[in-house]
Amino acid sequence: IYRTAWNFTSGEINCRGNLQRRATMNKMEKLKKYAPLILRTGIAIVFLWFGFSQIKNPAQWAGMIPSYASFLPFEQTTLIYFNGGFEIIFATLLLLGLLTRFVSFLLGLHLLHIVTLVGYGAIGARDLALAIATFSIFLNGADEFCLDKILKRRLSEDKIE
């Protein structure tokens, strides 16, 4: 024997479990809009951590510099500082949601380059997954919490008034 309950939204009689599942699904649908924000924030935090780590302790990163960098007209430490600065600046832009597509595309390319340097293994697999997540931000573009969208809305509202 199944207990039944009236579904007021569709006018059907359903099992009570179905109503509870629908209520849960409705709650989850409302949370979907936060997924791009959470992904963008998580990826930005990863880049910020690595960027600040490179600025704080460049000697720790010297072993990661590719061999072709020896042809550059400056020290290895300078390249590490430059890379750390790049990651901090672009991660901050990503976190704020400014130039979202451009920034996520560059950061994704940057990660793919790192994957080619570290090769197949645990670090390479992790960085490849981060690159794919970063490219998904690129494909999605600015979400509703990005300053890109917020500023665009405000500008369009100002034009209307």
Side-chain angles (χ1 to χ4, degrees):
I1 297 175
Y2 293 99
R3 293 184 182 188
T4 58
W6 186 259
N7 182 345
F8 291 100
T9 57
S10 66
E12 301 172 350
I13 297 177
N14 290 314
C15 293
R16 185 168 290 167
N18 286 341
L19 286 176
Q20 289 172 342
R21 276 192 292 274
R22 283 189 185 153
T24 302
M25 292 299 287
N26 286 338
K27 289 177 186 175
M28 294 305 291
E29 283 296 317
K30 291 177 183 176
L31 294 176
K32 267 187 178 181
K33 69 180 182 179
Y34 298 106
L37 170 67
I38 292 168
L39 177 62
R40 190 168 46 83
T41 302
I43 294 294
I45 288 169
V46 169
F47 276 106
L48 285 169
W49 187 88
F50 280 102
F52 281 115
S53 176
Q54 291 167 52
I55 299 293
K56 183 180 175 186
N57 190 0
Q60 175 184 343
W61 296 92
M64 299 294 289
I65 294 179
S67 58
Y68 63 80
S70 63
F71 298 110
L72 295 173
F74 44 81
E75 303 260 341
Q76 286 184 343
T77 309
T78 305
L79 183 60
I80 294 169
Y81 283 134
F82 175 76
N83 189 70
F86 165 81
E87 290 183 1
I88 291 168
I89 290 167
F90 279 72
T92 301
L93 290 172
L94 187 65
L95 187 63
L96 295 173
L98 286 170
L99 305 170
T100 306
R101 282 208 174 181
F102 174 72
V103 167
S104 58
F105 183 74
L106 285 182
L107 288 171
L109 285 178
H110 179 63
L111 272 172
L112 284 179
H113 178 252
I114 291 170
V115 169
T116 64
L117 295 176
V118 298
Y120 178 75
I123 295 171
R126 177 206 58 203
D127 288 347
L128 179 61
L130 290 170
I132 291 169
T134 305
F135 279 123
S136 75
I137 296 169
F138 164 73
L139 293 173
N140 187 62
D143 57 72
E144 67 180 277
F145 302 102
C146 286
L147 284 180
D148 287 339
K149 283 248 175 128
I150 294 168
L151 294 173
K152 191 175 184 179
R153 266 190 301 232
R154 285 205 179 145
L155 288 174
S156 65
E157 289 171 3
D158 289 345
K159 287 180 183 178
I160 294 172
E161 293 175 1

